[in-house]
Structure formats: C-alpha cells, structure tokens
Amino acid sequence: MTEDVLVTISGKHLIGGESESEDVELLVPGTYRCTDEGIHEIVYEEPAEEESFGTKNTLRIDGSSMRIEKRGGCTAELCFLNSAARTRCNYRTPYGTFLIGISTSDFRVTVTENCITAELIYAMDVGDAFLKDCEMKVEVRAREGMPDEI
C-alpha cells in the first residue's frame, strides 16, 4: 500500500438497547506505514469541532488488537483486544478526564494489497457504569487515483 491513504471510520453507538442509535462517519486523508513487526500504523487528523482543537490520531492494527493514540483536543490511548479482556484508559477532554472501559466482543482484520479493514463490536463504560454498545469499521485505502480533495 502507498504512504498516502484515505481513512474511513464509521460506527454506531447503540443507546438504550437497539431502539436508538447515533451513527458517526469520518473520511480523512492520512499516512500509512507497516512496521518491521508487521503492525499497520495509520496517522490522521481528526477535524476540530466548534471551539475545540483538532486531534492527531495514530492507529496501530495487528491481528489481535487495534490501538488508537489520540493527542490534541482529546488525549487517550484506547485499546481494542481480540479477547474478552476489558481495557481501561483515561480519556482527557477540554471538559475533564474520564475513566473509559472497553470490552471488545468481536474484532476482525482483513488485509489486501490496497486496503486494510478492521471491524469491531465493543461495549464502553465510563467510571465502571455501562455507557453504550458500539460498532466500528475502519477502512484504510491507497489514495492513488483518488481526488486530492475530500
């Protein structure tokens, strides 16, 4: 895969069971490299929302986990494991710091010559209180032949 990529992140946060959901989608340019250890590393900027600062994200994907390191307006190191293990991290925002727990129930990675796809199903809690069930799909594609503007 080339260094210049397009990163698509789509997800669904299920609120109050499956009766209500919040859908999210992000499409941004990024850079890609594969480390000597076979870890796919993708760096992209999350656009700034009103009155907040943008966040630089580094995704690290291998066959057993996906880690998201956030630096900027929000700071955190989120870890999604291909196991029933629960991970925890401090999620710092302009509004305060929250202890986030993540329990991944399904994690799949598909790697082809021009695309990496990670699909996750996980539950999220804040301060040990259940918050919501979530689904996320991350797709990283070579940017060759695609328009410069998104």
Side-chain angles (χ1 to χ4, degrees), residues 2 5 21 23 30 38 46 57-58 64 71 74 78 83 95 98-100 108 119-120 125 131 134 144:
T2 65
V5 294
S21 72
D23 295 338
E46 195 173 312
N57 293 287
T58 303
S64 63
R71 298 287 180 255
C74 293
L78 305 167
S83 68
Y95 309 105
F98 305 93
L99 181 61
I100 301 285
R108 291 181 222 152
E119 296 177 274
L120 304 103
D125 61 74
L131 181 62
C134 306
E144 288 178 355

Side-chain angles (χ1 to χ4, degrees), residues 63-78:
S64 63
S65 69
M66 181 173 86
R67 298 173 189 276
I68 304 173
E69 180 182 302
K70 300 172 106 25
R71 298 287 180 255
C74 293
T75 302
E77 291 185 24
L78 305 167

Side-chain angles (χ1 to χ4, degrees), residues 82-112:
N82 187 9
S83 68
R86 179 172 171 252
T87 61
R88 296 167 65 148
C89 76
N90 286 316
Y91 196 95
R92 293 178 190 86
T93 74
Y95 309 105
T97 300
F98 305 93
L99 181 61
I100 301 285
I102 298 171
S103 300
T104 307
S105 59
D106 193 14
F107 175 83
R108 291 181 222 152
V109 175
T110 306
V111 179
T112 64

